[in-house]
């Protein structure tokens, strides 16, 4: 449940950005760990340290296509005075047959194949005549096309030091080493390592399921015909994409009309597949702000005082916000404003950290930095509000894009940063150092 119930706040209390975020993060808890197949665990966070059960590579093997030799047999070899060795067979990757390389002998060996007993080094095939007797070759022909097969003799034109072109057993990781730490996010390289050490499943916190829905009778789906007074629903697409970018499995619900009962019914239907719900629109003070109307009186069934708390924040854009929990499983719900920029900024500040917390990550926030403001004019900001302006960041400088309007989607598409203007600052001169939230 939301800790808002424990605060002594009235309907006119103006929450700070930090208070609202603190309330969210004090409520949301990491999801319970589950065992998943490797590919299903991509993007998830490990909850256990992974120890290597078998060394990688598990045996000495060749890093080249060539010939496995004894060092003394090729000492001093040159094109003028090659070392002539008897080829006793082929050693291929995955081959179970093992040869012993004795004095004056060699075995053709393929990349990744185990170094045969008796051999101390590998000479690349390019240092030999490939058994053809015609001088250095450029490669090893396929076995089916090589008349010399795995027998005969080969001329070696260069000497080799011990262990040359040999990948040593355990040179990657050794049995007993720590492969991955708990808290690691599993990307392709980490999944490759888990597979390489024989792990088919892994214990992780699952990616949270986030349901996103927009509200408004004026909203039309893309590709449909616009009528009078209608606009396309962009918020649900933007927030669903943002939730996926944050690491969630996100489900987009088509826009719900301005009817409180319809909205309540839709939310109830979606709870079964949600670890977090996000609505956009209908949280202000208008006569048709359906989210506020539908959810203000909704409480958690068995938690006294729980439910959705609608509040005003000392920020621009994004003043109206809602947060709480809903349903028998107390699913967290964040109700965001309907203006496109307001909803996106609110997502970055509040929803993204909630998603990352559900995932079990330690660092849930976007990175921030300090940058020099480059602008054509002084930036103004309302007193007592923390303002977030869209900007582009590069090489220690940040430049505003678009105006302060919360409907400017085109400007938002150009931004890769948010310029933060604190509550006690009403104007910012060009050349001033400002805080920047990096979105990319």
């Amino acid at each position: 449940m939301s800790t808002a119930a424990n605060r002594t706040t009235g309907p006119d209390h103006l929450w700070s950005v930090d208070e609202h975020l603190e309330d969210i993060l004090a409520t949301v808890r990491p999801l319970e760990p589950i065992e998943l197949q490797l590919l299903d665990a991509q993007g998830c966070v490990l909850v256990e340290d992974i120890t290597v059960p078998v060394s990688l590579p598990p045996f000495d093997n060749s890093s080249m296509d060539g010939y496995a030799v004894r060092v003394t047999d090729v000492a001093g070899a040159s094109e003028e005075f090659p070392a002539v060795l008897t080829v006793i067979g082929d050693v291929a990757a995955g081959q179970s047959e093992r040869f012993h390389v004795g004095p004056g002998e060699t075995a053709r060996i393929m990349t990744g194949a185990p170094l045969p007993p008796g051999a101390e080094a590998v000479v690349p095939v390019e240092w030999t005549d490939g058994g053809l007797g015609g001088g250095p070759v450029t490669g090893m022909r396929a076995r089916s096309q090589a008349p010399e097969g795995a027998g005969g003799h080969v001329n070696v034109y260069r000497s080799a030091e011990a262990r040359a072109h040999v990948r040593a057993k355990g040179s990657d990781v050794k049995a007993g080493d720590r492969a991955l730490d708990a808290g690691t996010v599993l990307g392709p390289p980490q999944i490759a390592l888990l597979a390489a050490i024989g792990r088919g499943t892994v214990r992780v916190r699952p990616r949270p399921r986030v349901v996103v829905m927009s509200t408004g009778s004026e909203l039309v789906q893309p590709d449909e015909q616009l009528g009078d007074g209608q606009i396309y629903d962009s918020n649900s697409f933007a927030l669903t994409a943002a939730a996926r970018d944050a690491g969630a499995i996100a489900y987009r619900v088509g826009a719900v009309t301005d009817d409180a009962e319809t909205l309540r019914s839709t939310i109830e239907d979606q709870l079964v597949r949600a670890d977090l719900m996000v609505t956009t629109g209908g949280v202000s003070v208008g006569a048709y702000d359906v989210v506020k109307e539908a959810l203000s009186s909704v409480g958690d069934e068995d938690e006294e005082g729980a439910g959705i708390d609608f509040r005003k924040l000392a920020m621009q854009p994004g003043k109206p916000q809602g947060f709480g929990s809903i349903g028998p499983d107390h699913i967290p719900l964040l109700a965001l404003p309907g203006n496109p920029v307001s909803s996106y900024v609110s997502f970055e500040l509040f929803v993204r950290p909630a998603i990352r917390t559900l995932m079990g990550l330690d660092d849930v926030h976007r990175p921030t930095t300090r940058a020099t403001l480059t602008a054509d004019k002084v930036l103004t900001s309302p007193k007592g509000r923390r303002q977030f302006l869209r900007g582009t960041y590069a090489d220690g400088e940040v430049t505003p894009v678009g105006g302060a309007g919360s409907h400017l989607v085109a400007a938002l598409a150009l931004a890769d940063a948010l310029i933060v203007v604190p509550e006690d600052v009403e104007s910012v001169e060009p050349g001033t150092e400002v805080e920047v939230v990096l979105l990319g």
Side-chain angles (χ1 to χ4, degrees):
M1 61 171 279
S2 169
T3 58
N6 300 324
R7 292 184 183 272
T8 55
T9 58
D12 296 326
H13 174 70
L14 193 62
W15 291 62
S16 72
V17 172
D18 296 334
E19 283 177 332
H20 184 58
L21 180 59
E22 176 191 346
D23 192 34
I24 294 168
L25 297 186
T27 303
V28 175
R29 293 287 181 267
L31 298 175
E32 288 299 313
I34 59 175
E35 191 84 12
L36 289 179
Q37 298 287 329
L38 285 190
L39 291 181
D40 294 332
Q42 182 173 355
C44 297
V45 177
L46 270 178
V47 296
E48 59 180 344
D49 295 333
I50 302 295
T51 301
V52 178
V54 60
S55 294
L56 291 181
F59 46 79
D60 290 348
N61 69 89
S62 177
S63 65
M64 305 286 287
D65 293 328
Y67 290 84
V69 300
R70 289 159 31 104
V71 171
T72 56
D73 289 338
V74 295
S78 66
E79 289 196 34
E80 186 177 1
F81 300 104
V84 182
L85 303 177
T86 301
V87 181
I88 61 172
D90 276 355
V91 185
Q95 181 178 309
S96 59
E97 184 180 3
R98 300 296 295 272
F99 300 100
H100 185 281
V101 177
E105 296 179 338
T106 185
R108 288 205 312 177
I109 191 167
M110 315 306 155
T111 302
L115 188 70
E120 302 165 312
V122 173
V123 292
V125 67
E126 294 86 353
W127 296 5
T128 77
D129 68 352
L132 302 176
V137 295
T138 57
M140 192 177 289
R141 290 193 290 175
R143 185 178 183 182
S144 62
Q145 298 175 350
E148 72 280 9
H153 294 84
V154 65
N155 290 332
V156 179
Y157 301 122
R158 292 176 60 176
S159 61
E161 296 179 355
R163 312 295 294 176
H165 308 297
V166 174
R167 302 170 179 145
K169 175 182 178 179
S171 56
D172 191 354
V173 289
K174 294 180 174 60
D177 285 351
R178 177 82 59 82
L180 296 170
D181 293 328
T184 300
V185 180
L186 297 181
Q190 291 76 31
I191 288 175
L193 174 57
L194 289 166
I197 62 175
R199 288 292 296 261
T201 63
V202 68
R203 192 163 177 77
V204 297
R205 295 193 191 278
R207 295 166 61 198
R209 301 164 302 162
V210 177
V211 173
V212 176
M213 68 176 67
S214 52
T215 63
S217 299
E218 78 281 11
L219 298 178
V220 175
Q221 300 308 300
D223 289 334
E224 294 183 6
Q225 189 69 35
L226 284 178
D228 289 341
Q230 293 183 319
I231 60 173
Y232 288 119
D233 172 21
S234 64
N235 284 3
S236 64
F237 286 92
L239 300 186
T240 302
R244 291 175 179 173
D245 182 69
I249 299 170
Y251 304 105
R252 176 188 161 271
V253 180
V256 180
T257 59
D258 289 323
D259 177 77
E261 191 54 45
T262 300
L263 177 61
R264 275 194 293 264
S265 175
T266 304
I267 289 176
E268 288 172 2
D269 288 343
Q270 294 296 324
L271 285 175
V272 68
R273 63 171 181 174
D275 298 306
L276 176 70
M277 297 204 68
V278 180
T279 66
T280 171
V283 295
S284 192
V285 293
Y288 291 87
D289 284 326
V290 65
V291 175
K292 197 170 183 180
E293 177 188 354
L295 301 182
S296 289
S297 60
V298 173
D300 267 342
E301 297 175 7
D302 55 358
E303 287 208 28
E304 184 180 354
I308 310 302
D309 180 49
F310 292 90
R311 54 189 65 159
K312 299 172 184 176
L313 268 61
M315 65 179 286
Q316 186 184 50
K319 181 180 179 180
Q321 300 282 339
F323 172 62
S325 57
I326 190 168
D329 294 323
H330 319 302
I331 302 301
L333 184 146
L334 283 91
L336 310 184
N339 281 318
V341 176
S342 300
S343 69
Y344 182 73
V345 170
S346 299
F347 180 96
E348 288 293 339
L349 296 179
F350 308 124
V351 183
R352 183 183 174 91
I355 290 173
R356 309 287 280 180
T357 299
L358 287 167
M359 292 176 67
L361 290 166
D362 292 329
D363 187 4
V364 300
H365 303 288
R366 288 284 199 186
T368 60
T369 189
R370 305 290 295 181
T372 301
L373 178 67
T374 60
D376 297 331
K377 58 182 181 180
V378 174
L379 300 185
T380 60
S381 184
K383 184 178 181 180
R385 301 276 190 90
R386 188 180 304 180
Q387 188 173 44
F388 297 90
L389 298 168
R390 282 76 69 209
T392 57
Y393 171 82
D395 302 325
E397 296 184 344
V398 65
T399 305
V401 290
S406 55
H407 63 291
L408 303 174
V409 182
L412 181 62
L414 300 175
D416 60 10
L418 296 176
I419 303 168
V420 183
V421 183
E423 292 88 340
D424 58 352
V425 175
E426 295 182 57
S427 64
V428 184
E429 298 277 351
T432 303
E433 188 179 75
V434 293
E435 180 184 356
V436 175
V437 179
L438 302 177
L439 301 178

